[in-house]
Amino acid sequence: MNKLVVLTGAGMSAESGIRTFRDSDGLWEEYNVMDVCTPEAWQRDPELVNRFYNERRKQLYEAQPNAGHYGLAELEKDFDVRIITQNIDDLHERAGSTKVLHLHGELKKVRSSRNPDLIYDLDGWELKLGTKAEDGSILRPHIVWFGESVPNIEPAIDLVQQADILVIIGTSLAVYPAASLLHYAPAGCRILLIDPKIPESVKNSKIEFIEKGASEGVQILKEKLKNK
């Protein structure tokens, strides 16, 4: 069974109503990203950062997977599908995808602020500031913030190096190290990119482009994979 590796970014979840800072001048739901998405912000104003992620979580509980998420899950019938996502939502899992690697953390999880391996599922959308992990440190969002290392980048590289087909959906290919994953695709790997705006950096490459949003693009992808 061919190994189909899918890298998804913010555009994957946009049709589910989850906004991103990529399309709004560096503001995420009217927050400046650097005020809520850095370790320094957490040190400076944990109440603001905590409120921001509580709001994101509440929004996620109200969101539903879109047709693109469901379409990728259905591909597991015909391919060994591995999803690498830059997104912190759980919409891939809720749509039925069984092998999902989160590069930038998971919104519905929290972790020790001292030990990044001490991770907990959060019950409900609200993390009460000051709640402690079993090591005595304050729980923080299980998110990779700007300036922090990306622990799952090595497993992601391994997956891309094994791909027969690589599909990139809804990412500007501007956020590193995730954007570098494209360069690890083996020779002979078929690469397809789904996005209504094709990044300038890859326009002259051998990538097959589907200039559509995630839901429509995944349906076209399924037809392309079926016919070739």
Side-chain angles (χ1 to χ4, degrees):
M1 190 178 275
N2 279 350
K3 181 161 281 189
L4 173 62
V5 177
V6 186
L7 173 64
T8 67
M12 186 76 225
S13 297
E15 291 169 46
S16 295
I18 295 181
R19 284 179 58 194
T20 70
F21 70 88
R22 159 180 149 180
D23 298 318
S24 52
D25 302 321
L27 295 178
W28 194 349
E29 303 283 354
E30 283 62 64
Y31 289 86
N32 183 311
V33 171
M34 302 315 286
D35 289 339
V36 290
C37 299
T38 66
E40 293 78 16
W42 176 249
Q43 293 294 328
R44 185 174 60 246
D45 194 345
E47 189 173 346
L48 174 68
V49 175
N50 196 60
R51 183 167 74 243
F52 172 78
Y53 284 102
N54 279 343
E55 289 172 5
R56 303 287 71 69
R57 249 180 249 111
K58 193 172 185 182
Q59 181 189 58
L60 177 54
Y61 272 99
E62 294 164 359
Q64 298 297 325
N66 60 55
H69 292 108
Y70 286 112
L72 291 179
E74 288 164 11
L75 283 169
E76 292 193 9
K77 295 174 193 165
D78 301 305
F79 298 91
D80 177 8
V81 180
R82 307 300 178 98
I83 292 175
I84 304 165
T85 187
Q86 295 170 254
N87 300 334
I88 57 176
D89 60 61
D90 63 344
L91 297 178
H92 282 300
E93 289 91 339
R94 281 158 59 189
S97 289
T98 59
K99 294 166 184 167
V100 183
L101 180 71
H102 286 266
L103 282 179
H104 296 154
E106 297 179 64
L107 191 51
K108 288 185 176 178
K109 294 183 178 181
V110 292
R111 72 174 192 242
S112 155
S113 51
R114 189 181 299 144
N115 178 2
D117 296 321
L118 198 53
I119 302 163
Y120 306 86
D121 291 315
L122 184 64
D123 186 17
W125 61 268
E126 186 178 20
L127 172 62
K128 294 192 185 305
L129 188 63
T131 307
K132 293 187 176 178
E134 58 198 271
D135 64 358
S137 71
I138 292 174
L139 287 173
R140 55 161 275 182
H142 179 45
I143 303 296
V144 176
W145 285 325
F146 290 104
E148 294 184 323
S149 63
V150 181
N152 277 338
I153 195 67
E154 293 298 334
I157 289 169
D158 289 344
L159 286 176
V160 173
Q161 288 175 330
Q162 298 169 37
D164 298 302
I165 304 165
L166 175 65
V167 179
I168 301 163
I169 306 176
T171 172
S172 60
L173 292 173
V175 177
Y176 284 81
S180 67
L181 289 172
L182 172 64
H183 306 301
Y184 290 95
C189 176
R190 185 181 180 189
I191 304 174
L192 303 98
L193 191 151
I194 300 170
D195 199 285
K197 299 176 189 171
I198 302 302
E200 289 291 334
S201 59
V202 294
K203 277 193 173 170
N204 296 320
S205 63
K206 294 178 180 176
I207 297 171
E208 298 172 51
F209 299 118
I210 301 173
E211 294 191 52
K212 299 289 183 183
S215 292
E216 194 177 348
V218 170
Q219 293 311 308
I220 295 169
L221 170 71
K222 289 168 80 175
E223 290 302 313
K224 280 178 170 280
L225 295 179
K226 193 187 299 179
N227 296 330
K228 206 168 181 182

